[in-house]
Amino acid sequence: MRPEGPYRPRARRGTLCRVRVIVVGAGVVGLSAAVRLAEHRYDVAVLARDLPAETTSAVAAALWYPYRASPRDAVTRWSAATFTELTRLAEQSPACGVSSRWGTELVRGQVTTPWWRDAVPRLDRLRDVPAGYDGGWRLPVPVADMSVYLPWLVARLEALGGTLTRAWLPALPTPGRDLTVVNATGLASRALTGDPTLSPVRGQVVLVEQVGVEEWLLEHSDEAALTYVVPRQEVVVVGGTAVEGDYDPRPDPATGAAVLARATRLVPALAGARVVGHRVGLRPARPTVRLEAEQVGEGTVVHCYGHGGAGVTLSWGCADDVLAAVQHAGAAAPATR
Ligand SMILES: Cc1cc2nc3c(=O)[nH]c(=O)nc-3n(C[C@H](O)[C@H](O)[C@H](O)COP(=O)(O)OP(=O)(O)OC[C@H]3O[C@@H](n4cnc5c(N)ncnc54)[C@H](O)[C@@H]3O)c2cc1C
C-alpha cells in the first residue's frame, strides 16, 4: 500500500523520495504556500518571472486588512489564520519584518460592525472621531515591511531545502503523478489560465521618510479616494488609489501629490516629510479568490490567485488550504509503479 503524505516510494531505485511541487510565482501568495509546503517536507521549487522585490507584493503597504477580496466567509477564515500566523512571526522571529501596530479605520456614514469582525481578537469603537467622520474602529494588526518580509520568506524556504529560480513560463508546467503544480501567478493568471474575470485594480503609493508616525490609519468610505498611512521602521507608506482596469505601471506625479495631500490632512505629521519614492502595483482582482485543485492529465494544478487588495492579509490562510489541496492531490494520485 502506498504511504500517505508527501513520501512515496520511487519505483526504480526502491528508495524514498520527496514528492515534488513546482510553485509558479514568487509574490507573497506563492512564497507563503512554498514555505508551508516545504515545512511539510515537500520538495518545493518556486519558478517566477519576477523575483520577490519586483512583484506587486513588494508594492503592498502590507497592512493586515481584508480589502477588495471575496467571498466573505472564506476571506474571514483566511484572514484570521493569517492574523494568527503573522502575529506569531512578529513575536518569535523579530527579523522577519512583521510587527503588530495599533491603528484606526475612519468611517463616513453608517458605522456598522465590519463583516470580517470574527477574524480579529480585538476591535474597539473609536472614541474621538475627527470632524467629517461619523465613527471608526481601533485595533492592533500585523504590518509587514515587504522589503524585509519577502526576502525573509525566501530565506526560510531555502533553509527548508526549497529553491527559487527566475524563469518566465509561457504556460503552466504539466503536472504528473509525482509532480503537483501550484499556480500563484497573480494577475498573470488571466492569460495563463484564460480567466477573463481577473482584472487589475491599479494602486499608487508614496514612500516618505519616517517622521515619527507609529500608528496606521485607513479610510475607504470613498473607494475612489482611498487613504491610508502605514508606518515602517525607516519609511511611511502613504496611499492610495484603486483604479479598475488600469494596467499603467508608471507612477503619476500629480496622483502622488494628491495622495500625499489627502493623507496629510488626516496625519499632519506628514507635512513636509521628504518623499523617497513612488510605487505602482496592479492588484489581482477577481469576483472571488480562486483557490481550487484542477485535474490535468494524471496530475493536479492547485490554483491560488485573485487576492485583490488583500494578498498579504490572506497569505497564510491560503497557504494552509494550498497545502491541504496538494496533500489531497497526492493521496488521490495513482501509485507510482
Ligand atoms: C498599492 C497597493 C497596496 C496594497 N496594500 C496591501 C495591504 O496593505 N495589505 C494586503 O494584504 N494587500 C495589499 N495589496 C494587495 C497585494 O499586494 C496583492 O494582493 C498581492 O501582492 C498578490 O500577491 P500574488 O503573490 O498573488 O501576486 P504577485 O505579487 O503579483 O506575484 C505574482 C508572481 O507570479 C509570477 N508570474 C506571473 N506570470 C508568470 C509566468 N508566466 N512565469 C513565471 N512567473 C510568473 C510573477 O513574476 C510574480 O513572481 C496592495 C496592492 C497594491 C497595488
Side-chain angles (χ1 to χ4, degrees):
M1 207 172 99
R2 187 168 57 78
E4 286 192 359
Y7 288 91
R8 286 206 228 138
R10 182 147 55 190
R12 256 167 275 156
R13 290 191 196 158
T15 54
L16 289 180
C17 70
R18 295 204 289 164
V19 172
R20 288 192 304 140
V21 181
I22 291 179
V23 176
V24 188
V28 70
V29 172
L31 290 178
S32 307
V35 166
R36 196 52 103 225
L37 287 160
E39 284 171 348
H40 285 74
R41 309 195 67 187
Y42 284 89
D43 179 1
V44 183
V46 178
L47 304 180
R49 181 194 60 204
D50 308 301
L51 295 180
E54 306 154 354
T55 61
T56 300
S57 299
V59 178
L63 175 73
W64 180 100
Y65 189 91
Y67 174 67
R68 285 188 98 122
S70 286
R72 287 184 171 185
D73 52 352
V75 165
T76 302
R77 184 169 60 79
W78 291 325
S79 301
T82 308
F83 192 106
T84 302
E85 182 65 355
L86 289 178
T87 302
R88 188 187 71 78
L89 289 176
E91 286 167 3
Q92 296 179 5
S93 304
C96 75
V98 181
S99 54
S100 180
R101 285 187 189 266
W102 274 90
T104 302
E105 177 182 355
L106 295 173
V107 179
R108 275 206 192 92
Q110 202 184 353
V111 184
T112 51
T113 304
W115 54 267
W116 44 262
R117 170 67 188 92
D118 290 347
V120 291
R122 180 161 184 183
L123 183 72
D124 299 349
R125 196 120 188 174
L126 181 65
R127 285 164 188 237
D128 300 319
V129 182
Y133 292 90
D134 298 295
W137 305 100
R138 286 197 39 81
L139 65 161
V141 303
V143 178
D145 178 339
M146 297 304 264
S147 68
V148 177
Y149 182 53
L150 292 174
W152 184 87
L153 285 174
V154 175
R156 171 105 181 108
L157 173 68
E158 291 174 343
L160 291 162
T163 59
L164 167 62
T165 307
R166 188 193 285 279
W168 176 77
L169 307 181
L172 292 173
T174 305
R177 282 189 265 182
D178 283 321
L179 172 66
T180 299
V181 173
V182 175
N183 170 25
T185 57
L187 187 59
S189 286
R190 184 180 164 96
L192 283 170
T193 69
D195 183 345
T197 68
L198 191 61
S199 60
V201 175
R202 181 182 181 279
Q204 180 169 335
V205 294
V206 185
L207 304 181
V208 301
E209 65 181 348
Q210 237 318 350
V211 284
V213 178
E214 292 298 333
E215 294 203 354
W216 56 268
L217 184 122
L218 169 67
E219 197 269 290
H220 64 108
S221 309
D222 177 0
E223 284 297 329
L226 140 93
T227 302
Y228 50 84
V229 174
V230 180
R232 295 178 176 173
Q233 194 88 15
E234 307 291 335
V235 296
V236 183
V237 186
V238 181
T241 62
V243 185
E244 296 193 19
D246 188 344
Y247 278 94
D248 191 348
R250 296 163 303 175
D252 171 49
T255 302
V259 162
L260 194 50
R262 247 184 2 250
T264 304
R265 281 198 286 278
L266 293 173
V267 182
L270 293 172
R274 189 169 60 90
V275 173
V276 295
H278 296 266
R279 302 273 186 279
V280 167
L282 306 181
R283 301 177 182 90
R286 196 173 183 273
T288 57
V289 175
R290 184 180 184 198
L291 203 170
E292 64 179 359
E294 180 188 9
Q295 187 75 28
V296 178
E298 293 189 319
T300 302
V301 175
V302 178
H303 298 282
C304 188
Y305 64 82
H307 298 78
V312 180
T313 307
L314 307 180
S315 54
W316 287 110
C318 288
D320 290 338
D321 279 10
V322 167
L323 170 66
V326 170
Q327 286 173 328
H328 186 261
T336 307
R337 288 272 173 262

